[in-house]
Amino acid sequence: MSRQKMLARALIVFALLGACGTGARLAAAGEFVAEARTIAELKAVFGQVESRTVVPARARIGGTIREIGISEGREVKEGEVIARVVDDKLTFELNAADAKIAALQSQLDNARTEFDRAQQLLARGIASQSRLDQAKTQFDVIVSQVAAAQADKAVIEQRTREGAILAPATGRVLTVPVTLGSVVLAGEEIARIASGQYYLRLSLPERHATEIKEGGTVLIGQRGLSPVASGGSAAARQARIAKVYPEIADGRVIADVEVADIGDYFVNERTLVWIPVGERKVIAIPPAAVTTRHGVDYVRVATPDGPLDVAVVLGETFQDGGGPRLEILTGLRPGDRIVMPDVAP
């Protein structure tokens, strides 16, 4: 016999001895009976982070932006001054209002003097009652004119104060579409503020409309668009469907999902969401029962002739009351006794 044949035979003998030794250890460990169970059929879709309300901060007067005190991402409080618009014409209107009030005040002083003189002359019997009535009427007219001029000035001052743009609600600034020196009109949008609670909005195919219901449970992945980045459905957390909208648009059903600790910064961020769209029966075993050799997955099954390594095809990993379970697509049947590896040192 050649040297190469002897070496090959020796390697085969050592491999068989190693397999027998391993089988003895596995047989001594506990067993797990493979059973068929019903699990939810999950569909992975993208959920988009939305704010319950997004309110615009608008300019109340037209003019030029002279001050901007915010930027995208900053938190603001309701009533906080976030920008300022200045209309140079208001300064001239205010000066004109002051001049008009000053002129009317002079006329008022003169009318008061004439009214007092008419009263004195009437008391002495020199002037008539009609002259006194005329002086009083002139005095009352000018008093009203002064009050109207002061009201006009108050309107101008109020318009000047309205150049301060206030945050309409407490929240986070999403966009600031203007710059210093921009000319804006009254009612133009200066900033958009996300002021409501954040939630996930789902857009599902119409065929799943009957499977989703308000109050149903879905699984939310971690931040990231890929199953690897989000941790997959096994690492997902549960959330509740808060609302299902009755209108179907473009073959899509819209639903909102309430998620705890979703954050309050990014809006329109997308993340993976797994929703139940049906049920299916699977054979599932603990992940520890699977061993991998040369890229092939094996499960050791107890048979009347002794433990037998069976090649299997693995499916998804999910959680149940007994811990993580691994779906077996092919290779096992319900009732097979799985020999669990000995995890003792």
Side-chain angles (χ1 to χ4, degrees):
M1 182 181 297
S2 65
R3 182 180 181 86
Q4 292 181 348
K5 289 183 178 180
M6 294 178 61
L7 181 59
R9 182 170 296 178
L11 289 175
I12 293 174
V13 171
F14 283 128
L16 291 175
L17 290 176
C20 293
T22 303
R25 289 196 304 272
L26 293 177
E31 293 183 353
F32 179 86
V33 178
E35 296 179 351
R37 63 183 66 193
T38 301
I39 65 172
E41 180 75 28
L42 299 179
K43 177 179 178 60
V45 298
F46 283 120
Q48 186 165 293
V49 178
E50 301 279 356
S51 174
R52 191 65 65 186
T53 55
V54 177
V55 293
R58 299 186 182 275
R60 293 181 287 177
I61 63 171
T64 304
I65 295 182
R66 296 290 177 81
E67 178 185 338
I68 298 178
I70 58 170
S71 60
E72 290 83 353
R74 179 187 158 185
E75 288 189 8
V76 295
K77 301 294 184 182
E78 182 178 357
E80 178 183 348
V81 178
I82 60 177
R84 194 173 299 276
V85 175
V86 175
D87 186 357
D88 294 331
K89 297 189 299 296
L90 294 179
T91 302
F92 299 113
E93 292 179 7
L94 192 59
N95 293 335
D98 288 335
K100 183 178 180 180
I101 291 174
L104 290 173
Q105 192 66 44
S106 298
Q107 295 180 23
L108 180 63
D109 294 340
N110 185 53
R112 182 180 290 108
T113 301
E114 290 293 332
F115 178 59
D116 292 341
R117 183 181 296 116
Q119 283 181 320
Q120 293 173 5
L121 293 175
L122 180 63
R124 286 196 252 171
I126 301 175
S128 62
Q129 181 66 38
S130 61
R131 181 179 178 182
L132 177 63
D133 294 340
Q134 183 179 2
K136 183 178 185 306
T137 300
Q138 184 67 22
F139 176 75
D140 292 341
V141 168
I142 296 178
V143 168
S144 299
Q145 289 178 348
V146 171
Q150 290 175 341
D152 291 339
K153 178 183 177 182
V155 171
I156 298 173
E157 291 175 340
Q158 178 61 28
R159 290 177 59 193
T160 303
R161 288 192 292 269
E162 288 179 352
I165 300 172
L166 308 179
T170 300
R172 191 173 299 279
V173 178
L174 298 182
T175 58
V176 183
V178 294
T179 59
L180 285 176
S182 299
V183 177
V184 296
L185 301 176
E188 191 167 338
E189 185 177 283
I190 305 301
R192 292 172 59 245
I193 300 173
S195 60
Q197 180 183 1
Y198 283 20
Y199 65 97
L200 277 179
R201 172 154 291 180
L202 306 182
S203 178
L204 311 174
E206 183 179 351
R207 64 180 180 273
H208 300 310
T210 58
E211 280 89 10
I212 60 172
K213 295 179 175 59
E214 292 186 8
T217 301
V218 298
L219 299 179
I220 307 298
Q222 303 299 321
R223 294 174 61 175
L225 296 181
S226 67
V228 175
S230 63
S233 59
R237 50 181 173 156
Q238 290 187 352
R240 186 180 68 89
I241 297 177
K243 188 176 185 63
V244 178
Y245 291 88
E247 183 178 9
I248 296 178
D250 299 326
R252 312 292 291 183
V253 180
I254 305 300
D256 293 343
V257 177
E258 291 182 350
V259 186
D261 302 326
I262 195 175
D264 61 352
Y265 191 85
F266 290 108
V267 175
N268 295 332
E269 180 185 11
R270 294 188 297 166
T271 186
L272 277 173
V273 180
W274 288 268
I275 63 171
V277 295
E279 294 181 344
R280 58 191 174 95
K281 287 190 175 183
V282 300
I283 296 176
I285 63 174
V290 180
T291 59
T292 303
R293 297 194 297 272
H294 306 294
V296 180
D297 298 313
Y298 292 93
V299 173
R300 181 150 292 186
V301 179
T303 67
D305 298 329
L308 176 65
D309 287 342
V310 177
V312 295
V313 177
L314 305 180
E316 298 179 356
T317 301
F318 60 92
Q319 297 282 342
D320 70 356
R325 291 292 181 263
L326 194 59
E327 178 185 358
I328 304 299
L329 299 179
T330 60
L332 294 180
R333 294 175 299 179
D336 286 344
R337 292 184 296 117
I338 309 302
V339 180
M340 298 297 294
D342 187 1
V343 296

